[in-house]
């Protein structure tokens, strides 16, 4: 007998029919003898609707009351799902986060889980119930309702799975797994059977928004096997797990990309200690996050060029800050370009395969795609290229690394 935590997102419980379909699925599993804990999101659109209501009263409502408000979406779903389960003859009981005792810190709207008391849930499971828990919410030490941030039901599910030492945490969503890249860009993208936590974090932070990043971090930390699968189609989904050294890993697991990059260059800055700090200090003081950084060696032994990327939303502000910095540093010029994108190859296989970067550059060169910046980490190589080449770049690399086939690239 296995203990499984299942999470159903907003679209999976978006209508009464869908809630009933989910109930049917759960019933089948329960009849096989598994113990099942279900974590649900609010019905799709509901959280946004609630936020909209608050917005009509006050632009900056009390964070405490905001959490009281937005946590109601999930409370509706747990009750409806339990009713649907009863209807099909399945014993089930619902709990809010506070009732379970999902204890969090008191950071309203972005609370972190500190502790979970699984006793009540365990007792219900042992007496043959399916336990249905409201995602996204908890309580602080004083019993105030808190929420875990948008998409936080994923984290609730993983945390419950960790607390109950579940055999697996299954995240049911509207996609059937994690893909080698975005199928809207490369129709030959393939669903991965497995991916490691590390790779998933790289893919997720680069825009493959399948799972809340915090949930993946949490699952990695507490060693909870995590599976992403579709609530609409049958299938095995993608298992996110630890690296297995006995498996001959593919060189590359996936290709992530980020359209929201913008590039800034200060030309001809003095090649002296402290210059990088003088350029990036004011940027970070303005709370602008810097992604890639490249500084050239000085060609004329006196001045150098300094390039970095920021999120497109911060582009205008960063540009203004840099103008001031460039003047005080007596730099030659500032160049800006917000029509760039970042493409990244991700794979733990890079650790044991040499020459991946040059293979990547060769493939891009063959298509005449100019690489503007490069950065690498142990399991990732990223390049910044012109926006107009995004699709060609992704497809070219997908093919070059044999990602569409089942075999090892
Ligand atoms: N209902 C919340 C949201 O829309 C939490 C979740 O769905 O995971 O962000
Ligand atoms: Mg979600």
């Amino acid at each position: 007998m296995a203990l499984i935590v299942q999470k159903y997102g907003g679209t999976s419980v978006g209508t009464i029919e869908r809630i009933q379909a989910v109930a049917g699925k759960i019933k089948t599993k329960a009849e096989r003898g598994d113990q099942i804990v279900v974590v649900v999101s609010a019905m799709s659109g509901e959280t946004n609707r609630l936020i909209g209501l608050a917005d009509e009263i006050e632009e900056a409502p009390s964070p405490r009351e905001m959490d009281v408000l937005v946590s109601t979406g999930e409370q509706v779903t747990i009750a409806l799902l339990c009713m649907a389960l009863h209807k099909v003859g399945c014993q089930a009981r619902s709990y809010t986060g506070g009732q379970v005792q999902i204890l969090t810190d008191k950071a309203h709207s972005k609370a972190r889980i500190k502790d979970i008391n699984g006793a009540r849930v365990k007792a219900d499971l042992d007496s043959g119930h399916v336990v249905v828990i409201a995602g996204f919410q908890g309580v602080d030490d004083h019993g105030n309702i808190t929420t875990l941030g948008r998409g936080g039901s994923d984290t609730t599910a993983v945390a419950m799975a960790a607390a109950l030492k579940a055999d697996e945490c299954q995240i049911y969503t509207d996609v059937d797994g994690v893909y080698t890249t975005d199928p809207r860009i490369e129709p030959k993208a393939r669903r991965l059977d497995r991916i490691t936590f590390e790779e998933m974090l790289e893919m997720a932070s680069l825009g493959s928004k399948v799972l809340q990043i915090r949930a993946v971090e949490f699952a990695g930390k507490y060693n909870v096997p995590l599976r992403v699968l579709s609530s609409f189609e049958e299938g095995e989904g993608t298992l996110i797990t630890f690296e297995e050294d006995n498996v001959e890993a593919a060189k590359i697991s996936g290709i992530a990309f980020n359209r929201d990059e913008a590039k800034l260059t200060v030309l001809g800055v003095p090649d002296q200690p402290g210059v990088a700090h003088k350029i990036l200090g004011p940027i970070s003081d303005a709370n602008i996050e810097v992604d890639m950084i490249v500084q050239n060696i000085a060609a004329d032994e006196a001045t150098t060029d300094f390039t970095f990327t920021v999120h497109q939303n911060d582009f205008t502000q960063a540009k203004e800050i840099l103008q001031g910095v460039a003047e005080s540093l007596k730099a030659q010029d500032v160049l800006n370009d917000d029509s760039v994108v970042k493409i990244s190859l991700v794979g733990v296989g890079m650790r044991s395969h040499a020459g991946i970067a040059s293979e990547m550059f060769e493939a891009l060169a063959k298509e005449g795609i100019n690489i503007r910046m490069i950065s690498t980490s142990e399991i990732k190589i990223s390049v910044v290229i012109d926006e107009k080449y995004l699709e060609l770049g992704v497809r070219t690399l997908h093919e070059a690394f044999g990602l569409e086939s089942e075999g090892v690239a």
Side-chain angles (χ1 to χ4, degrees), residues 1-7 26 29-30 32-39 116-133 156-172 223-227 239:
M1 183 176 63
L3 199 172
I4 309 288
V5 174
Q6 300 190 328
K7 181 257 171 177
I26 295 168
K29 270 241 163 213
R32 261 186 256 151
D34 288 341
Q35 293 192 320
I36 300 174
V37 173
V38 184
V39 173
I116 291 181
N117 180 354
R120 205 161 163 185
V121 174
K122 266 248 179 290
D124 276 349
L125 289 174
D126 289 341
S127 66
H129 287 81
V130 169
V131 179
V132 181
I133 297 172
T156 304
V158 172
M160 282 308 310
L164 297 167
K165 299 194 170 51
D167 295 290
E168 197 168 286
C169 180
Q170 303 175 339
I171 308 283
Y172 284 88
N223 197 3
V224 177
L226 194 59
R227 192 183 290 277
L239 182 67

Side-chain angles (χ1 to χ4, degrees), residues 32-247:
R32 261 186 256 151
D34 288 341
Q35 293 192 320
I36 300 174
V37 173
V38 184
V39 173
V40 284
S41 289
M43 295 168 76
S44 58
E46 180 62 8
T47 308
N48 288 341
R49 188 186 72 86
L50 295 166
I51 293 170
L53 291 176
D55 215 36
E56 285 181 41
I57 296 178
E58 157 76 293
E59 223 174 274
S62 140
R64 182 184 184 279
E65 301 316 324
M66 202 59 199
D67 276 353
V68 174
L69 175 70
V70 293
S71 63
T72 60
E74 274 71 12
Q75 190 169 337
V76 170
T77 323
I78 56 171
L80 292 174
L81 180 57
C82 276
M83 291 173 193
L85 282 164
H86 297 163
K87 186 86 185 266
V88 293
C90 195
Q91 294 195 80
R93 209 170 262 168
S94 72
Y95 293 102
T96 64
Q99 286 176 314
V100 173
Q101 285 292 312
I102 297 178
L103 268 185
T104 71
D105 60 20
K106 47 182 187 298
H108 285 293
S109 85
K110 48 178 182 297
R112 292 200 170 249
I113 296 174
K114 294 198 298 188
D115 194 25
I116 291 181
N117 180 354
R120 205 161 163 185
V121 174
K122 266 248 179 290
D124 276 349
L125 289 174
D126 289 341
S127 66
H129 287 81
V130 169
V131 179
V132 181
I133 297 172
F136 177 55
Q137 54 181 267
V139 280
D140 71 9
D141 288 337
H142 300 287
N144 296 301
I145 296 174
T146 55
T147 62
L148 310 177
R150 298 306 305 266
S153 299
D154 291 346
T155 301
T156 304
V158 172
M160 282 308 310
L164 297 167
K165 299 194 170 51
D167 295 290
E168 197 168 286
C169 180
Q170 303 175 339
I171 308 283
Y172 284 88
T173 176
D174 44 5
V175 294
D176 67 348
V178 179
Y179 275 70
T180 48
T181 196
D182 187 338
R184 283 168 299 188
I185 300 256
E186 172 50 277
K188 290 188 204 136
R190 173 173 55 87
R191 181 180 56 77
L192 294 160
D193 292 328
R194 284 170 166 264
I195 187 170
T196 69
F197 286 112
E198 270 178 296
E199 290 169 324
M200 188 60 210
L201 286 172
E202 295 287 3
M203 297 286 278
S205 62
L206 291 163
S208 319
K209 297 184 188 73
V210 191
L211 280 171
Q212 202 199 29
I213 292 180
R214 243 163 82 186
V216 181
E217 283 167 357
F218 208 108
K221 188 164 159 200
Y222 292 98
N223 197 3
V224 177
L226 194 59
R227 192 183 290 277
V228 177
L229 57 188
S230 162
S231 47
F232 306 112
E233 294 163 35
E234 288 299 312
E236 293 299 301
T238 300
L239 182 67
I240 306 162
T241 180
F242 283 105
E243 212 169 325
E244 285 173 31
D245 3 276
N246 56 346
V247 175

